[in-house]
Amino acid sequence: MTATQLAALARTPEPQRMLRRFLALDAAVTGANAVAYLAAPGPLGDVLGVRPGLLLALGAFLAVYAAAVGLTASRPHPPTPGVRAVVEANLAWAVLSCLALGLWLTPSTAGAVWTLLQAVTVAGFAGLQHAALKARQSISP
């Protein structure tokens, strides 16, 4: 499914469901990254060209963040401030990933590609979540 198709889903008559799904998908992908970084920081560090300690720290952070996003997704009506915080955090992550790549990280080619791909993915989640939140607000009193 493309980002355009997902964005179109956010404009369905059921934006509440789409918002919860986009949040849950974000939590699942983030949680999977956290598990990988925590379970295999050495091998992943070798492939990505980053220190295992950095991956451990990122994994711990991502585990907590995934849990918070998952909790937000589990609410029947995710609170607007919480959703906005997720959107803003995702945008900040995407920007900081690109800045880190350009300013202080020196990853392998695979690591550079991975960093850019995850930044685009996280920015995509932010866009989808924002669109679903706007759609929900447009039909709610």
Coordinates of all heavy atoms in Angstrom, one line a residue, residues 37-135:
Y37 N 17.4 -3.4 17.9 CA 18.5 -2.7 18.5 C 19.0 -3.2 19.8 O 20.2 -3.3 20.1 CB 18.2 -1.2 18.6 CG 18.0 -0.5 17.3 CD1 17.5 0.8 17.3 CD2 18.3 -1.0 16.1 CE1 17.3 1.5 16.1 CE2 18.1 -0.3 14.9 CZ 17.6 1.0 14.9 OH 17.4 1.7 13.7
L38 N 18.0 -3.6 20.6 CA 18.3 -4.2 22.0 C 18.9 -5.6 21.9 O 19.7 -6.0 22.7 CB 17.1 -4.1 22.9 CG 16.7 -2.7 23.3 CD1 15.3 -2.7 24.0 CD2 17.7 -2.0 24.2
A39 N 18.4 -6.4 21.0 CA 18.7 -7.8 20.9 C 20.1 -8.0 20.2 O 20.8 -9.0 20.5 CB 17.6 -8.6 20.2
A40 N 20.4 -7.2 19.2 CA 21.6 -7.4 18.4 C 22.3 -6.1 18.1 O 22.6 -5.8 16.9 CB 21.1 -8.1 17.1
P41 N 22.7 -5.4 19.1 CA 23.4 -4.2 18.8 C 24.8 -4.4 18.1 O 25.2 -3.5 17.3 CB 23.6 -3.5 20.2 CG 23.5 -4.6 21.2 CD 22.6 -5.7 20.5
G42 N 25.5 -5.4 18.5 CA 26.8 -5.7 17.9 C 26.7 -6.0 16.4 O 27.3 -5.3 15.6
P43 N 25.9 -7.0 16.0 CA 25.8 -7.3 14.6 C 25.2 -6.2 13.7 O 25.7 -5.9 12.6 CB 24.9 -8.6 14.5 CG 25.1 -9.2 15.8 CD 25.3 -8.1 16.8
L44 N 24.2 -5.6 14.3 CA 23.6 -4.4 13.6 C 24.5 -3.2 13.5 O 24.6 -2.6 12.5 CB 22.2 -4.0 14.2 CG 21.1 -4.9 14.0 CD1 19.9 -4.5 14.8 CD2 20.7 -5.0 12.5
G45 N 25.3 -3.0 14.6 CA 26.3 -2.0 14.5 C 27.3 -2.2 13.5 O 27.7 -1.2 12.8
D46 N 27.7 -3.4 13.3 CA 28.7 -3.8 12.3 C 28.1 -3.5 10.9 O 28.8 -2.9 10.0 CB 29.1 -5.2 12.3 CG 29.9 -5.5 13.6 OD1 30.5 -4.6 14.2 OD2 30.0 -6.7 13.9
V47 N 26.9 -3.9 10.6 CA 26.2 -3.7 9.3 C 26.0 -2.2 9.1 O 26.2 -1.7 8.0 CB 24.9 -4.4 9.2 CG1 24.1 -4.1 8.0 CG2 25.2 -5.9 9.2
L48 N 25.5 -1.5 10.1 CA 25.1 -0.1 9.9 C 26.3 0.9 10.1 O 26.2 2.1 9.7 CB 24.0 0.3 10.9 CG 22.7 -0.5 10.7 CD1 21.7 -0.1 11.9 CD2 22.1 -0.3 9.4
G49 N 27.4 0.4 10.7 CA 28.5 1.3 10.8 C 28.4 2.3 12.0 O 28.9 3.4 11.9
V50 N 27.6 1.8 13.0 CA 27.5 2.7 14.2 C 27.8 1.9 15.5 O 27.8 0.6 15.4 CB 26.0 3.2 14.3 CG1 25.7 4.1 13.2 CG2 25.0 2.1 14.5
R51 N 28.1 2.6 16.5 CA 28.5 1.9 17.8 C 27.4 1.2 18.4 O 26.2 1.6 18.4 CB 29.0 3.0 18.8 CG 30.3 3.7 18.4 CD 30.7 4.8 19.5 NE 29.6 5.3 20.3 CZ 28.9 6.4 19.9 NH1 29.1 7.0 18.8 NH2 28.0 6.9 20.7
P52 N 27.6 0.0 18.9 CA 26.6 -0.8 19.6 C 25.9 -0.1 20.7 O 24.7 -0.2 21.0 CB 27.3 -2.1 20.1 CG 28.5 -2.2 19.1 CD 28.9 -0.8 18.8
G53 N 26.7 0.7 21.4 CA 26.2 1.5 22.5 C 25.1 2.5 22.1 O 24.1 2.7 22.8
L54 N 25.3 3.1 20.9 CA 24.3 4.0 20.4 C 23.0 3.2 20.1 O 21.9 3.7 20.4 CB 24.8 4.7 19.1 CG 23.8 5.6 18.4 CD1 23.4 6.7 19.3 CD2 24.4 6.1 17.1
L55 N 23.2 2.0 19.5 CA 22.0 1.2 19.2 C 21.2 0.8 20.4 O 20.0 0.8 20.5 CB 22.3 0.0 18.3 CG 22.8 0.4 16.9 CD1 23.1 -0.9 16.2 CD2 21.7 1.1 16.1
L56 N 22.0 0.5 21.5 CA 21.4 0.1 22.8 C 20.6 1.3 23.3 O 19.4 1.1 23.8 CB 22.4 -0.3 23.8 CG 22.9 -1.8 23.6 CD1 24.1 -2.0 24.6 CD2 21.8 -2.8 23.9
A57 N 21.2 2.5 23.3 CA 20.5 3.7 23.8 C 19.2 4.0 23.0 O 18.2 4.3 23.5 CB 21.4 4.9 23.8
L58 N 19.4 3.9 21.7 CA 18.2 4.1 20.8 C 17.2 3.1 21.0 O 16.0 3.4 21.0 CB 18.7 4.2 19.3 CG 19.5 5.4 18.9 CD1 20.0 5.2 17.4 CD2 18.7 6.7 19.0
G59 N 17.6 1.8 21.2 CA 16.6 0.8 21.4 C 15.8 1.0 22.7 O 14.6 0.8 22.7
A60 N 16.5 1.4 23.7 CA 15.8 1.7 25.0 C 14.8 2.8 24.8 O 13.6 2.7 25.3 CB 16.8 2.0 26.1
F61 N 15.3 3.9 24.2 CA 14.4 5.0 23.9 C 13.2 4.6 23.1 O 12.0 4.9 23.4 CB 15.1 6.2 23.2 CG 14.2 7.3 22.8 CD1 13.8 8.2 23.7 CD2 13.8 7.4 21.5 CE1 12.9 9.2 23.3 CE2 13.0 8.4 21.0 CZ 12.5 9.3 22.0
L62 N 13.4 3.9 22.0 CA 12.4 3.5 21.1 C 11.4 2.5 21.8 O 10.2 2.6 21.5 CB 12.9 2.8 19.8 CG 13.7 3.8 18.9 CD1 14.3 3.0 17.8 CD2 12.8 4.9 18.4
A63 N 11.8 1.7 22.7 CA 10.9 0.8 23.4 C 9.9 1.6 24.3 O 8.7 1.3 24.3 CB 11.7 -0.2 24.3
V64 N 10.4 2.6 25.0 CA 9.6 3.5 25.8 C 8.6 4.2 24.9 O 7.4 4.3 25.1 CB 10.4 4.4 26.6 CG1 9.5 5.4 27.4 CG2 11.2 3.6 27.7
Y65 N 9.1 4.8 23.8 CA 8.3 5.6 22.9 C 7.2 4.7 22.2 O 6.1 5.1 22.1 CB 9.2 6.2 21.8 CG 8.4 7.1 20.8 CD1 7.9 8.3 21.2 CD2 8.2 6.7 19.5 CE1 7.2 9.1 20.4 CE2 7.4 7.5 18.6 CZ 6.9 8.7 19.1 OH 6.2 9.5 18.2
A66 N 7.6 3.5 21.8 CA 6.6 2.6 21.2 C 5.5 2.2 22.2 O 4.3 2.2 21.8 CB 7.3 1.3 20.7
A67 N 5.9 2.0 23.4 CA 4.9 1.7 24.4 C 3.9 2.9 24.6 O 2.7 2.7 24.7 CB 5.5 1.4 25.8
A68 N 4.4 4.1 24.6 CA 3.6 5.3 24.7 C 2.7 5.5 23.5 O 1.5 5.8 23.7 CB 4.5 6.6 24.9
V69 N 3.2 5.3 22.3 CA 2.4 5.4 21.1 C 1.3 4.3 21.1 O 0.2 4.5 20.8 CB 3.2 5.4 19.9 CG1 2.4 5.4 18.6 CG2 4.2 6.6 19.8
G70 N 1.7 3.1 21.5 CA 0.8 2.0 21.6 C -0.4 2.2 22.6 O -1.5 1.9 22.4
L71 N 0.0 2.8 23.7 CA -1.0 3.2 24.7 C -2.0 4.2 24.2 O -3.2 4.1 24.3 CB -0.3 3.7 26.0 CG -1.3 4.2 27.1 CD1 -2.1 3.0 27.6 CD2 -0.5 4.7 28.3
T72 N -1.4 5.2 23.4 CA -2.3 6.2 22.8 C -3.2 5.6 21.8 O -4.4 5.9 21.7 CB -1.4 7.3 22.1 OG1 -0.6 7.9 23.1 CG2 -2.3 8.4 21.5
A73 N -2.7 4.6 21.0 CA -3.5 3.9 20.0 C -4.6 3.1 20.6 O -5.6 2.9 20.0 CB -2.6 3.0 19.1
S74 N -4.3 2.6 21.8 CA -5.3 1.7 22.5 C -6.5 2.4 23.0 O -7.5 1.7 23.3 CB -4.6 0.9 23.6 OG -4.4 1.7 24.7
R75 N -6.4 3.7 23.1 CA -7.6 4.4 23.7 C -8.7 4.5 22.6 O -8.4 4.7 21.4 CB -7.1 5.9 24.0 CG -5.9 6.0 24.9 CD -6.2 6.0 26.4 NE -7.2 6.9 26.8 CZ -6.9 8.2 27.2 NH1 -5.7 8.6 27.3 NH2 -7.9 8.9 27.6
P76 N -9.9 4.3 23.0 CA -11.0 4.4 22.1 C -11.1 5.7 21.3 O -11.5 5.7 20.1 CB -12.3 4.2 22.9 CG -11.8 3.5 24.2 CD -10.4 4.0 24.4
H77 N -10.7 6.8 22.0 CA -10.7 8.1 21.4 C -9.3 8.7 21.8 O -9.2 9.4 22.8 CB -11.8 8.9 21.9 CG -12.0 10.2 21.2 ND1 -12.7 10.3 20.0 CD2 -11.6 11.5 21.5 CE1 -12.7 11.6 19.6 NE2 -12.0 12.3 20.5
P78 N -8.3 8.4 21.0 CA -6.9 9.0 21.4 C -7.0 10.5 21.6 O -7.6 11.2 20.7 CB -6.1 8.6 20.2 CG -6.7 7.4 19.5 CD -8.2 7.7 19.7
P79 N -6.5 11.0 22.7 CA -6.6 12.4 23.0 C -5.8 13.2 22.0 O -4.7 12.9 21.6 CB -6.0 12.5 24.4 CG -5.1 11.3 24.5 CD -5.7 10.2 23.7
T80 N -6.4 14.3 21.5 CA -5.8 15.2 20.5 C -4.4 15.7 21.0 O -3.4 15.6 20.2 CB -6.7 16.4 20.2 OG1 -7.9 15.8 19.6 CG2 -6.0 17.3 19.2
P81 N -4.2 16.1 22.2 CA -2.8 16.5 22.6 C -1.8 15.4 22.5 O -0.7 15.6 22.1 CB -3.0 17.0 24.0 CG -4.4 17.4 24.2 CD -5.1 16.4 23.3
G82 N -2.2 14.2 22.8 CA -1.3 13.1 22.8 C -0.9 12.7 21.3 O 0.2 12.4 21.0
V83 N -1.9 12.8 20.4 CA -1.7 12.5 19.0 C -0.8 13.6 18.4 O 0.2 13.3 17.7 CB -3.0 12.4 18.2 CG1 -2.7 12.3 16.7 CG2 -3.8 11.3 18.7
R84 N -1.0 14.8 18.8 CA -0.2 15.9 18.3 C 1.3 15.7 18.8 O 2.2 16.0 18.1 CB -0.7 17.3 18.8 CG -1.9 17.8 18.0 CD -2.2 19.2 18.4 NE -3.4 19.6 17.6 CZ -4.5 20.2 18.2 NH1 -4.4 20.6 19.4 NH2 -5.5 20.5 17.4
A85 N 1.4 15.3 20.0 CA 2.8 15.0 20.6 C 3.5 13.9 19.8 O 4.7 14.0 19.5 CB 2.7 14.6 22.0
V86 N 2.7 12.9 19.4 CA 3.3 11.8 18.6 C 3.7 12.4 17.2 O 4.8 12.1 16.7 CB 2.3 10.6 18.4 CG1 2.8 9.6 17.4 CG2 2.1 9.9 19.8
V87 N 2.8 13.1 16.6 CA 3.2 13.7 15.3 C 4.4 14.6 15.4 O 5.3 14.5 14.5 CB 2.0 14.5 14.7 CG1 2.4 15.3 13.5 CG2 0.8 13.6 14.4
E88 N 4.5 15.4 16.4 CA 5.6 16.3 16.5 C 6.9 15.6 16.8 O 8.0 15.9 16.3 CB 5.3 17.4 17.6 CG 4.3 18.4 17.1 CD 3.8 19.3 18.2 OE1 4.3 19.3 19.4 OE2 2.8 20.0 17.9
A89 N 6.8 14.5 17.7 CA 8.0 13.7 18.0 C 8.5 13.0 16.7 O 9.7 12.9 16.5 CB 7.6 12.7 19.1
N90 N 7.5 12.5 15.9 CA 7.9 11.8 14.7 C 8.6 12.8 13.8 O 9.6 12.4 13.1 CB 6.7 11.1 14.0 CG 6.3 9.9 14.7 OD1 7.0 9.3 15.4 ND2 5.1 9.4 14.4
L91 N 8.1 14.0 13.6 CA 8.7 14.9 12.7 C 10.1 15.3 13.3 O 11.1 15.4 12.5 CB 7.9 16.2 12.6 CG 6.6 16.0 11.8 CD1 5.7 17.3 11.9 CD2 6.9 15.6 10.4
A92 N 10.2 15.5 14.6 CA 11.5 15.8 15.2 C 12.5 14.6 15.0 O 13.7 14.9 14.6 CB 11.4 16.0 16.7
W93 N 12.1 13.4 15.1 CA 12.9 12.2 14.9 C 13.5 12.3 13.4 O 14.6 12.0 13.2 CB 12.2 11.0 15.1 CG 13.0 9.7 14.9 CD1 13.2 9.0 13.8 CD2 13.8 9.1 15.9 NE1 14.0 8.0 13.9 CE2 14.5 8.0 15.3 CE3 14.1 9.3 17.2 CZ2 15.3 7.1 15.9 CZ3 14.9 8.4 17.9 CH2 15.5 7.3 17.2
A94 N 12.6 12.5 12.5 CA 13.0 12.5 11.1 C 14.0 13.6 10.8 O 15.0 13.3 10.1 CB 11.7 12.7 10.2
V95 N 13.8 14.8 11.3 CA 14.7 15.9 11.1 C 16.0 15.6 11.8 O 17.1 15.8 11.2 CB 14.1 17.2 11.6 CG1 15.1 18.3 11.7 CG2 12.9 17.6 10.7
L96 N 16.0 15.1 13.0 CA 17.2 14.9 13.8 C 18.0 13.7 13.1 O 19.2 13.7 13.2 CB 16.9 14.6 15.2 CG 16.5 15.8 16.1 CD1 16.0 15.3 17.5 CD2 17.6 16.8 16.2
S97 N 17.3 12.7 12.6 CA 18.0 11.7 11.9 C 18.8 12.2 10.7 O 20.0 11.8 10.5 CB 17.0 10.6 11.4 OG 16.4 10.0 12.5
C98 N 18.2 13.1 9.9 CA 18.9 13.7 8.8 C 20.1 14.6 9.2 O 21.1 14.5 8.6 CB 17.9 14.4 7.9 SG 16.7 13.3 7.1
L99 N 19.8 15.3 10.3 CA 20.9 16.2 10.8 C 22.1 15.3 11.3 O 23.2 15.7 11.1 CB 20.4 17.1 11.9 CG 19.5 18.3 11.5 CD1 18.9 19.0 12.7 CD2 20.3 19.2 10.6
A100 N 21.7 14.3 12.1 CA 22.8 13.4 12.6 C 23.6 12.8 11.5 O 24.8 12.7 11.5 CB 22.2 12.3 13.5
L101 N 22.9 12.4 10.4 CA 23.6 11.8 9.3 C 24.5 12.8 8.6 O 25.7 12.5 8.2 CB 22.6 11.3 8.3 CG 23.1 10.5 7.1 CD1 23.8 9.2 7.6 CD2 21.9 10.0 6.2
G102 N 24.1 14.0 8.5 CA 24.9 15.1 7.9 C 26.0 15.7 8.7 O 27.0 16.2 8.2
L103 N 25.8 15.7 10.1 CA 26.7 16.4 10.9 C 27.6 15.6 11.8 O 28.7 16.0 12.0 CB 25.9 17.4 11.9 CG 25.0 18.4 11.2 CD1 24.2 19.2 12.2 CD2 25.9 19.4 10.4
W104 N 27.2 14.4 12.3 CA 28.1 13.7 13.2 C 28.1 12.2 13.0 O 29.1 11.6 13.4 CB 27.8 14.1 14.7 CG 26.5 13.7 15.2 CD1 26.2 12.5 15.7 CD2 25.4 14.5 15.4 NE1 24.9 12.5 16.1 CE2 24.4 13.7 15.9 CE3 25.1 15.8 15.1 CZ2 23.1 14.2 16.2 CZ3 23.8 16.3 15.3 CH2 22.9 15.5 15.9
L105 N 27.2 11.6 12.4 CA 27.3 10.2 12.2 C 28.1 9.9 11.0 O 28.1 10.6 10.0 CB 25.9 9.5 12.0 CG 25.0 9.4 13.2 CD1 23.7 8.8 12.8 CD2 25.7 8.6 14.3
T106 N 28.9 8.8 11.0 CA 29.6 8.3 9.8 C 29.4 6.8 9.6 O 30.2 6.0 9.8 CB 31.2 8.6 10.0 OG1 31.6 8.0 11.2 CG2 31.5 10.0 10.0
P107 N 28.1 6.5 9.3 CA 27.7 5.1 9.1 C 28.3 4.6 7.8 O 28.8 5.3 6.9 CB 26.2 5.2 9.1 CG 25.9 6.5 8.4 CD 27.0 7.4 8.9
S108 N 28.1 3.2 7.7 CA 28.4 2.6 6.4 C 27.3 3.0 5.4 O 26.3 3.7 5.8 CB 28.3 1.0 6.6 OG 26.9 0.7 7.0
T109 N 27.5 2.6 4.2 CA 26.5 2.9 3.2 C 25.1 2.4 3.6 O 24.1 3.0 3.5 CB 26.9 2.4 1.8 OG1 28.1 3.0 1.4 CG2 25.8 2.7 0.7
A110 N 25.1 1.1 4.1 CA 23.8 0.5 4.6 C 23.2 1.4 5.7 O 22.0 1.6 5.8 CB 24.1 -0.9 5.0
G111 N 24.1 1.8 6.6 CA 23.6 2.7 7.7 C 23.0 4.0 7.2 O 22.0 4.5 7.8
A112 N 23.7 4.6 6.3 CA 23.2 5.9 5.7 C 21.8 5.7 5.0 O 20.9 6.4 5.3 CB 24.2 6.5 4.7
V113 N 21.7 4.6 4.3 CA 20.4 4.3 3.6 C 19.4 4.0 4.6 O 18.2 4.5 4.6 CB 20.6 3.1 2.6 CG1 19.3 2.6 2.1 CG2 21.5 3.5 1.4
W114 N 19.7 3.2 5.7 CA 18.8 2.9 6.7 C 18.3 4.1 7.5 O 17.1 4.3 7.7 CB 19.4 1.9 7.7 CG 18.5 1.6 8.9 CD1 18.7 2.0 10.2 CD2 17.3 0.9 8.9 NE1 17.6 1.6 11.0 CE2 16.8 0.9 10.2 CE3 16.6 0.2 7.9 CZ2 15.6 0.2 10.5 CZ3 15.4 -0.4 8.2 CH2 14.9 -0.4 9.5
T115 N 19.2 5.0 7.7 CA 18.9 6.2 8.5 C 17.9 7.1 7.6 O 16.9 7.6 8.2 CB 20.1 7.1 8.8 OG1 21.0 6.3 9.6 CG2 19.8 8.3 9.5
L116 N 18.1 7.2 6.3 CA 17.2 8.0 5.5 C 15.9 7.3 5.3 O 14.8 7.9 5.4 CB 17.9 8.2 4.1 CG 19.1 9.2 4.1 CD1 19.7 9.2 2.7 CD2 18.6 10.6 4.6
L117 N 15.9 6.0 5.2 CA 14.6 5.2 5.0 C 13.8 5.3 6.3 O 12.6 5.5 6.2 CB 14.9 3.7 4.7 CG 15.3 3.4 3.3 CD1 15.7 2.0 3.1 CD2 14.3 3.9 2.3
Q118 N 14.4 5.2 7.5 CA 13.6 5.3 8.7 C 13.1 6.7 8.9 O 12.0 6.9 9.4 CB 14.3 4.7 9.9 CG 15.6 5.3 10.3 CD 15.4 6.6 11.2 OE1 14.5 6.7 11.9 NE2 16.4 7.5 11.0
A119 N 13.9 7.7 8.5 CA 13.4 9.1 8.6 C 12.2 9.4 7.7 O 11.3 10.0 8.1 CB 14.6 10.1 8.2
V120 N 12.3 8.8 6.5 CA 11.1 9.0 5.6 C 9.9 8.3 6.1 O 8.8 8.8 6.1 CB 11.5 8.5 4.2 CG1 10.3 8.4 3.3 CG2 12.5 9.4 3.5
T121 N 10.1 7.1 6.7 CA 9.0 6.3 7.2 C 8.4 7.0 8.4 O 7.1 7.1 8.5 CB 9.5 4.9 7.7 OG1 10.1 4.2 6.5 CG2 8.4 4.1 8.3
V122 N 9.2 7.5 9.3 CA 8.7 8.2 10.5 C 8.0 9.5 10.1 O 6.9 9.8 10.6 CB 9.8 8.4 11.5 CG1 9.4 9.3 12.6 CG2 10.3 7.1 12.0
A123 N 8.5 10.2 9.1 CA 7.8 11.4 8.6 C 6.5 11.0 8.0 O 5.5 11.7 8.1 CB 8.7 12.1 7.6
G124 N 6.5 9.9 7.3 CA 5.2 9.4 6.7 C 4.2 9.1 7.7 O 3.0 9.4 7.6
F125 N 4.6 8.4 8.8 CA 3.7 8.2 9.9 C 3.1 9.5 10.5 O 1.9 9.6 10.7 CB 4.3 7.4 11.1 CG 4.5 6.0 10.9 CD1 5.7 5.4 11.3 CD2 3.5 5.2 10.3 CE1 5.9 4.0 11.1 CE2 3.7 3.9 10.1 CZ 4.9 3.2 10.5
A126 N 4.0 10.5 10.6 CA 3.5 11.8 11.1 C 2.5 12.4 10.2 O 1.4 12.9 10.6 CB 4.7 12.8 11.3
G127 N 2.7 12.3 8.9 CA 1.8 12.9 7.9 C 0.4 12.1 7.9 O -0.6 12.8 7.9
L128 N 0.5 10.8 8.0 CA -0.8 10.0 8.1 C -1.5 10.3 9.4 O -2.8 10.4 9.3 CB -0.4 8.5 8.0 CG 0.1 8.1 6.6 CD1 0.7 6.7 6.7 CD2 -0.9 8.2 5.5
Q129 N -0.8 10.4 10.5 CA -1.5 10.6 11.7 C -2.1 12.0 11.8 O -3.2 12.2 12.3 CB -0.5 10.4 12.9 CG -0.1 9.0 13.0 CD 1.3 8.8 13.7 OE1 2.0 9.8 14.0 NE2 1.6 7.6 14.0
H130 N -1.4 13.0 11.2 CA -1.9 14.4 11.2 C -3.1 14.4 10.3 O -4.1 15.0 10.7 CB -0.8 15.3 10.6 CG -1.3 16.7 10.5 ND1 -1.5 17.5 11.5 CD2 -1.6 17.4 9.3 CE1 -1.9 18.7 11.1 NE2 -2.0 18.6 9.7
A131 N -3.1 13.8 9.1 CA -4.3 13.8 8.2 C -5.5 13.1 8.9 O -6.6 13.6 8.8 CB -3.9 13.0 6.9
A132 N -5.2 12.0 9.6 CA -6.4 11.3 10.3 C -6.9 12.2 11.4 O -8.1 12.2 11.6 CB -5.9 9.9 10.8
L133 N -6.0 12.8 12.1 CA -6.5 13.7 13.2 C -7.3 14.9 12.7 O -8.4 15.2 13.2 CB -5.3 14.3 14.0 CG -5.6 15.2 15.2 CD1 -6.4 14.4 16.2 CD2 -4.3 15.7 15.8
K134 N -6.9 15.5 11.6 CA -7.6 16.5 11.0 C -9.0 16.0 10.5 O -10.0 16.7 10.6 CB -6.9 17.2 9.8 CG -5.8 18.1 10.3 CD -5.1 18.7 9.1 CE -6.0 19.7 8.4 NZ -5.4 20.6 7.5
A135 N -9.0 14.8 9.9 CA -10.3 14.3 9.4 C -11.2 14.0 10.6 O -12.4 14.3 10.5 CB -10.0 13.0 8.6

